[in-house]
Amino acid sequence: MPELPEVETIRRSLLPYVGSRIVGVEIRERRLRRTIADDFTGQLRGRRVESIDRRGKYLFFGLDGDRALLAHLGMTGCLERRPSSAPSSRHDHVRFLLDSDTALVFHDPRRFGILWAGPRNGLTEFLPTGQDPLLRPLSAQDLRQLARNRRGPIKNLLMDQNAVAGIGNIYASEILHRAGIRPRRRAARIYVPELTRLADAIHEVLEHAVRLGGSSISDFHDINGRTGYFQLEHAVYDRDGKPCPRCQTTIRRIVQSGRSSFYCRTCQH
DNA sequence: CGCACCCCCTGCCGGC
DNA sequence: TGCCGGCAGGGGGTGC
């Protein structure tokens, strides 16, 4: 579920907890994509949350004592706010108890997510090197540099977290539709005017999705259970066989690197 | 170096 | 009704 707009939606819903203190951590399942280390609780207990930031699909909490908590939600991860007395349910792997009688629960059925805690300078081991388009928009020149030595398709470039941080399978298809570029086009062969449209589309699609609270498919929601609405605006993602909203041509589904891509053969070239 | 492929894990859906 | 295969928003490792 969580690409950049969904992670940003969760981050914003967490902001009221800046200033809270972590009074306890309960681990029910350590085996996530990386096993949660033995010192996880010790790194966190008693710490005050000073900041909550995001880079690409990673969330990180700045804590006092130069500590940090990092979270990645994988495919099915979410954070939920609950009363600290609420019972745990299946796939609730970690509960963070805050001083405001609130628990933040990390819930992740597929366990593709990551939780890590340690010194702040340890974050760099995890964070992607790609530019986050919400923190600083990419220009056509930036994209040209990134595309120059690529032999593969533009969709793979958009989804490479060390090129552009935060775009996943939904938004790659949506962005390419808006830019009028087919997902199989080789990145290095895309012309500058198209890269200009692509740079604009990256920004417009992601900003719009954040404004609508992300895409709620498979029940995505923020920490308060609020759903997003951007799925209602999807032009192509998961719409194969349906008409393109711009030209009515039937949308196609193809598979690239084992993942579905959706596009309109009339609007995209 | 870049890229395709396979794997990790659980849940859900459609077909038989 | 139940079972089975395929597919799902993530990324990392391997081998070419």
Side-chain angles (χ1 to χ4, degrees), chain A residues 1 217-218 237 259-260:
Chain A
M1 84 185 73
I217 45 185
S218 298
Y237 180 77
R259 311 197 65 189
S260 294

PDB file of all heavy atoms in Angstrom, chain A residues 1 217-218 237 259-260, chain C residues 7-12:
ATOM      1  N   MET A   1       0.802  -1.199   0.000  1.00  0.00           N
ATOM      2  CA  MET A   1       0.000   0.000   0.000  1.00  0.00           C
ATOM      3  C   MET A   1       0.841   1.256   0.000  1.00  0.00           C
ATOM      4  O   MET A   1       0.556   2.203  -0.687  1.00  0.00           O
ATOM      5  CB  MET A   1      -0.968  -0.006   1.188  1.00  0.00           C
ATOM      6  CG  MET A   1      -0.433   0.487   2.512  1.00  0.00           C
ATOM      7  SD  MET A   1      -1.548   0.323   3.886  1.00  0.00           S
ATOM      8  CE  MET A   1      -1.518  -1.416   4.173  1.00  0.00           C
ATOM      9  N   ILE A 217      -6.343   1.419  -1.186  1.00  0.00           N
ATOM     10  CA  ILE A 217      -6.738   0.109  -1.686  1.00  0.00           C
ATOM     11  C   ILE A 217      -6.293  -0.874  -0.628  1.00  0.00           C
ATOM     12  O   ILE A 217      -5.358  -0.598   0.116  1.00  0.00           O
ATOM     13  CB  ILE A 217      -6.141  -0.206  -3.067  1.00  0.00           C
ATOM     14  CG1 ILE A 217      -4.676   0.163  -3.118  1.00  0.00           C
ATOM     15  CG2 ILE A 217      -6.861   0.547  -4.160  1.00  0.00           C
ATOM     16  CD1 ILE A 217      -4.088  -0.018  -4.466  1.00  0.00           C
ATOM     17  N   SER A 218      -6.999  -2.001  -0.530  1.00  0.00           N
ATOM     18  CA  SER A 218      -6.785  -2.915   0.592  1.00  0.00           C
ATOM     19  C   SER A 218      -6.773  -2.160   1.913  1.00  0.00           C
ATOM     20  O   SER A 218      -5.921  -2.375   2.759  1.00  0.00           O
ATOM     21  CB  SER A 218      -5.492  -3.706   0.453  1.00  0.00           C
ATOM     22  OG  SER A 218      -5.537  -4.490  -0.690  1.00  0.00           O
ATOM     23  N   TYR A 237      -4.066   2.804 -13.223  1.00  0.00           N
ATOM     24  CA  TYR A 237      -3.659   1.709 -12.342  1.00  0.00           C
ATOM     25  C   TYR A 237      -4.828   0.784 -12.012  1.00  0.00           C
ATOM     26  O   TYR A 237      -5.880   1.236 -11.546  1.00  0.00           O
ATOM     27  CB  TYR A 237      -3.041   2.235 -11.034  1.00  0.00           C
ATOM     28  CG  TYR A 237      -2.624   1.078 -10.151  1.00  0.00           C
ATOM     29  CD1 TYR A 237      -1.466   0.360 -10.431  1.00  0.00           C
ATOM     30  CD2 TYR A 237      -3.439   0.642  -9.112  1.00  0.00           C
ATOM     31  CE1 TYR A 237      -1.116  -0.742  -9.687  1.00  0.00           C
ATOM     32  CE2 TYR A 237      -3.091  -0.458  -8.360  1.00  0.00           C
ATOM     33  CZ  TYR A 237      -1.930  -1.153  -8.646  1.00  0.00           C
ATOM     34  OH  TYR A 237      -1.598  -2.248  -7.913  1.00  0.00           O
ATOM     35  N   ARG A 259       6.146  -7.127 -12.579  1.00  0.00           N
ATOM     36  CA  ARG A 259       5.095  -6.329 -11.955  1.00  0.00           C
ATOM     37  C   ARG A 259       4.196  -5.699 -13.016  1.00  0.00           C
ATOM     38  O   ARG A 259       4.649  -5.363 -14.106  1.00  0.00           O
ATOM     39  CB  ARG A 259       5.722  -5.245 -11.065  1.00  0.00           C
ATOM     40  CG  ARG A 259       6.782  -5.859 -10.153  1.00  0.00           C
ATOM     41  CD  ARG A 259       7.134  -4.980  -9.012  1.00  0.00           C
ATOM     42  NE  ARG A 259       6.026  -4.783  -8.095  1.00  0.00           N
ATOM     43  CZ  ARG A 259       6.067  -3.911  -7.121  1.00  0.00           C
ATOM     44  NH1 ARG A 259       7.120  -3.161  -6.968  1.00  0.00           N
ATOM     45  NH2 ARG A 259       5.045  -3.778  -6.312  1.00  0.00           N
ATOM     46  N   SER A 260       2.934  -5.522 -12.687  1.00  0.00           N
ATOM     47  CA  SER A 260       1.964  -4.998 -13.639  1.00  0.00           C
ATOM     48  C   SER A 260       2.209  -3.521 -13.933  1.00  0.00           C
ATOM     49  O   SER A 260       2.492  -2.744 -13.026  1.00  0.00           O
ATOM     50  CB  SER A 260       0.544  -5.141 -13.075  1.00  0.00           C
ATOM     51  OG  SER A 260       0.201  -6.490 -12.948  1.00  0.00           O
TER      52      SER A 260
ATOM     53  P    DC C   7      -0.506 -14.069 -12.445  1.00  0.00           P
ATOM     54  OP1  DC C   7      -0.809 -13.691 -13.834  1.00  0.00           O
ATOM     55  OP2  DC C   7       0.835 -14.569 -12.073  1.00  0.00           O
ATOM     56  O5'  DC C   7      -0.818 -12.832 -11.498  1.00  0.00           O
ATOM     57  C5'  DC C   7      -2.153 -12.376 -11.321  1.00  0.00           C
ATOM     58  C4'  DC C   7      -2.238 -11.643 -10.001  1.00  0.00           C
ATOM     59  O4'  DC C   7      -2.238 -12.599  -8.925  1.00  0.00           O
ATOM     60  C3'  DC C   7      -1.025 -10.744  -9.753  1.00  0.00           C
ATOM     61  O3'  DC C   7      -1.411  -9.377  -9.894  1.00  0.00           O
ATOM     62  C2'  DC C   7      -0.599 -11.053  -8.323  1.00  0.00           C
ATOM     63  C1'  DC C   7      -1.682 -11.966  -7.790  1.00  0.00           C
ATOM     64  N1   DC C   7      -1.166 -12.998  -6.871  1.00  0.00           N
ATOM     65  C2   DC C   7      -1.669 -13.026  -5.576  1.00  0.00           C
ATOM     66  O2   DC C   7      -2.534 -12.209  -5.248  1.00  0.00           O
ATOM     67  N3   DC C   7      -1.202 -13.965  -4.713  1.00  0.00           N
ATOM     68  C4   DC C   7      -0.274 -14.840  -5.110  1.00  0.00           C
ATOM     69  N4   DC C   7       0.148 -15.732  -4.231  1.00  0.00           N
ATOM     70  C5   DC C   7       0.257 -14.820  -6.433  1.00  0.00           C
ATOM     71  C6   DC C   7      -0.211 -13.884  -7.282  1.00  0.00           C
ATOM     72  P    DA C   8      -0.241  -8.264  -9.829  1.00  0.00           P
ATOM     73  OP1  DA C   8      -0.619  -7.189 -10.742  1.00  0.00           O
ATOM     74  OP2  DA C   8       1.079  -8.922  -9.932  1.00  0.00           O
ATOM     75  O5'  DA C   8      -0.362  -7.741  -8.325  1.00  0.00           O
ATOM     76  C5'  DA C   8      -1.553  -7.091  -7.892  1.00  0.00           C
ATOM     77  C4'  DA C   8      -1.456  -6.799  -6.407  1.00  0.00           C
ATOM     78  O4'  DA C   8      -1.673  -8.014  -5.667  1.00  0.00           O
ATOM     79  C3'  DA C   8      -0.051  -6.353  -5.978  1.00  0.00           C
ATOM     80  O3'  DA C   8       0.059  -4.934  -6.125  1.00  0.00           O
ATOM     81  C2'  DA C   8      -0.027  -6.752  -4.507  1.00  0.00           C
ATOM     82  C1'  DA C   8      -0.938  -7.970  -4.460  1.00  0.00           C
ATOM     83  N9   DA C   8      -0.179  -9.221  -4.366  1.00  0.00           N
ATOM     84  C8   DA C   8       0.612  -9.794  -5.321  1.00  0.00           C
ATOM     85  N7   DA C   8       1.159 -10.913  -4.958  1.00  0.00           N
ATOM     86  C5   DA C   8       0.700 -11.103  -3.664  1.00  0.00           C
ATOM     87  C6   DA C   8       0.915 -12.115  -2.709  1.00  0.00           C
ATOM     88  N6   DA C   8       1.683 -13.176  -2.923  1.00  0.00           N
ATOM     89  N1   DA C   8       0.302 -11.981  -1.510  1.00  0.00           N
ATOM     90  C2   DA C   8      -0.472 -10.913  -1.293  1.00  0.00           C
ATOM     91  N3   DA C   8      -0.750  -9.909  -2.112  1.00  0.00           N
ATOM     92  C4   DA C   8      -0.120 -10.066  -3.296  1.00  0.00           C
ATOM     93  P    DG C   9       1.144  -4.336  -7.104  1.00  0.00           P
ATOM     94  OP1  DG C   9       0.476  -3.913  -8.326  1.00  0.00           O
ATOM     95  OP2  DG C   9       2.261  -5.268  -7.150  1.00  0.00           O
ATOM     96  O5'  DG C   9       1.679  -3.050  -6.406  1.00  0.00           O
ATOM     97  C5'  DG C   9       0.910  -2.313  -5.473  1.00  0.00           C
ATOM     98  C4'  DG C   9       1.725  -1.159  -4.951  1.00  0.00           C
ATOM     99  O4'  DG C   9       0.999  -0.582  -3.904  1.00  0.00           O
ATOM    100  C3'  DG C   9       3.033  -1.551  -4.268  1.00  0.00           C
ATOM    101  O3'  DG C   9       3.825  -0.385  -4.163  1.00  0.00           O
ATOM    102  C2'  DG C   9       2.583  -2.041  -2.927  1.00  0.00           C
ATOM    103  C1'  DG C   9       1.308  -1.241  -2.689  1.00  0.00           C
ATOM    104  N9   DG C   9       0.158  -2.096  -2.311  1.00  0.00           N
ATOM    105  C8   DG C   9       0.081  -3.461  -2.411  1.00  0.00           C
ATOM    106  N7   DG C   9      -1.047  -3.948  -2.003  1.00  0.00           N
ATOM    107  C5   DG C   9      -1.783  -2.822  -1.631  1.00  0.00           C
ATOM    108  C6   DG C   9      -3.093  -2.702  -1.117  1.00  0.00           C
ATOM    109  O6   DG C   9      -3.884  -3.603  -0.886  1.00  0.00           O
ATOM    110  N1   DG C   9      -3.452  -1.395  -0.878  1.00  0.00           N
ATOM    111  C2   DG C   9      -2.637  -0.310  -1.111  1.00  0.00           C
ATOM    112  N2   DG C   9      -3.131   0.874  -0.836  1.00  0.00           N
ATOM    113  N3   DG C   9      -1.404  -0.398  -1.594  1.00  0.00           N
ATOM    114  C4   DG C   9      -1.045  -1.675  -1.818  1.00  0.00           C
ATOM    115  P    DG C  10       5.326  -0.516  -4.400  1.00  0.00           P
ATOM    116  OP1  DG C  10       5.884   0.831  -4.385  1.00  0.00           O
ATOM    117  OP2  DG C  10       5.442  -1.384  -5.588  1.00  0.00           O
ATOM    118  O5'  DG C  10       5.934  -1.299  -3.160  1.00  0.00           O
ATOM    119  C5'  DG C  10       6.076  -0.620  -1.909  1.00  0.00           C
ATOM    120  C4'  DG C  10       7.116  -1.339  -1.070  1.00  0.00           C
ATOM    121  O4'  DG C  10       6.693  -2.702  -0.903  1.00  0.00           O
ATOM    122  C3'  DG C  10       8.481  -1.448  -1.754  1.00  0.00           C
ATOM    123  O3'  DG C  10       9.282  -0.345  -1.364  1.00  0.00           O
ATOM    124  C2'  DG C  10       9.060  -2.709  -1.123  1.00  0.00           C
ATOM    125  C1'  DG C  10       7.836  -3.521  -0.813  1.00  0.00           C
ATOM    126  N9   DG C  10       7.648  -4.618  -1.753  1.00  0.00           N
ATOM    127  C8   DG C  10       6.956  -4.609  -2.937  1.00  0.00           C
ATOM    128  N7   DG C  10       6.981  -5.768  -3.541  1.00  0.00           N
ATOM    129  C5   DG C  10       7.717  -6.575  -2.692  1.00  0.00           C
ATOM    130  C6   DG C  10       8.079  -7.938  -2.799  1.00  0.00           C
ATOM    131  O6   DG C  10       7.812  -8.733  -3.708  1.00  0.00           O
ATOM    132  N1   DG C  10       8.836  -8.355  -1.718  1.00  0.00           N
ATOM    133  C2   DG C  10       9.201  -7.564  -0.670  1.00  0.00           C
ATOM    134  N2   DG C  10       9.942  -8.137   0.283  1.00  0.00           N
ATOM    135  N3   DG C  10       8.872  -6.300  -0.541  1.00  0.00           N
ATOM    136  C4   DG C  10       8.135  -5.875  -1.593  1.00  0.00           C
ATOM    137  P    DG C  11      10.614  -0.056  -2.144  1.00  0.00           P
ATOM    138  OP1  DG C  11      11.158   1.197  -1.558  1.00  0.00           O
ATOM    139  OP2  DG C  11      10.383  -0.159  -3.591  1.00  0.00           O
ATOM    140  O5'  DG C  11      11.581  -1.248  -1.730  1.00  0.00           O
ATOM    141  C5'  DG C  11      12.060  -1.309  -0.410  1.00  0.00           C
ATOM    142  C4'  DG C  11      12.887  -2.564  -0.242  1.00  0.00           C
ATOM    143  O4'  DG C  11      12.170  -3.708  -0.729  1.00  0.00           O
ATOM    144  C3'  DG C  11      14.202  -2.530  -1.020  1.00  0.00           C
ATOM    145  O3'  DG C  11      15.196  -3.128  -0.219  1.00  0.00           O
ATOM    146  C2'  DG C  11      13.914  -3.389  -2.229  1.00  0.00           C
ATOM    147  C1'  DG C  11      12.999  -4.447  -1.602  1.00  0.00           C
ATOM    148  N9   DG C  11      12.197  -5.119  -2.612  1.00  0.00           N
ATOM    149  C8   DG C  11      11.421  -4.534  -3.580  1.00  0.00           C
ATOM    150  N7   DG C  11      10.840  -5.390  -4.364  1.00  0.00           N
ATOM    151  C5   DG C  11      11.250  -6.619  -3.889  1.00  0.00           C
ATOM    152  C6   DG C  11      10.946  -7.924  -4.339  1.00  0.00           C
ATOM    153  O6   DG C  11      10.234  -8.255  -5.289  1.00  0.00           O
ATOM    154  N1   DG C  11      11.577  -8.902  -3.567  1.00  0.00           N
ATOM    155  C2   DG C  11      12.388  -8.646  -2.490  1.00  0.00           C
ATOM    156  N2   DG C  11      12.909  -9.715  -1.869  1.00  0.00           N
ATOM    157  N3   DG C  11      12.684  -7.430  -2.061  1.00  0.00           N
ATOM    158  C4   DG C  11      12.087  -6.466  -2.796  1.00  0.00           C
ATOM    159  P    DG C  12      16.674  -2.715  -0.358  1.00  0.00           P
ATOM    160  OP1  DG C  12      16.934  -1.863   0.794  1.00  0.00           O
ATOM    161  OP2  DG C  12      16.950  -2.255  -1.735  1.00  0.00           O
ATOM    162  O5'  DG C  12      17.417  -4.103  -0.156  1.00  0.00           O
ATOM    163  C5'  DG C  12      16.935  -5.022   0.819  1.00  0.00           C
ATOM    164  C4'  DG C  12      17.431  -6.396   0.446  1.00  0.00           C
ATOM    165  O4'  DG C  12      16.527  -6.998  -0.514  1.00  0.00           O
ATOM    166  C3'  DG C  12      18.807  -6.391  -0.201  1.00  0.00           C
ATOM    167  O3'  DG C  12      19.550  -7.491   0.295  1.00  0.00           O
ATOM    168  C2'  DG C  12      18.506  -6.554  -1.688  1.00  0.00           C
ATOM    169  C1'  DG C  12      17.254  -7.413  -1.657  1.00  0.00           C
ATOM    170  N9   DG C  12      16.404  -7.227  -2.824  1.00  0.00           N
ATOM    171  C8   DG C  12      16.001  -6.032  -3.377  1.00  0.00           C
ATOM    172  N7   DG C  12      15.232  -6.180  -4.418  1.00  0.00           N
ATOM    173  C5   DG C  12      15.114  -7.553  -4.565  1.00  0.00           C
ATOM    174  C6   DG C  12      14.405  -8.323  -5.528  1.00  0.00           C
ATOM    175  O6   DG C  12      13.719  -7.918  -6.466  1.00  0.00           O
ATOM    176  N1   DG C  12      14.547  -9.692  -5.308  1.00  0.00           N
ATOM    177  C2   DG C  12      15.291 -10.242  -4.292  1.00  0.00           C
ATOM    178  N2   DG C  12      15.323 -11.572  -4.247  1.00  0.00           N
ATOM    179  N3   DG C  12      15.964  -9.547  -3.392  1.00  0.00           N
ATOM    180  C4   DG C  12      15.829  -8.213  -3.584  1.00  0.00           C
TER     181       DG C  12
END
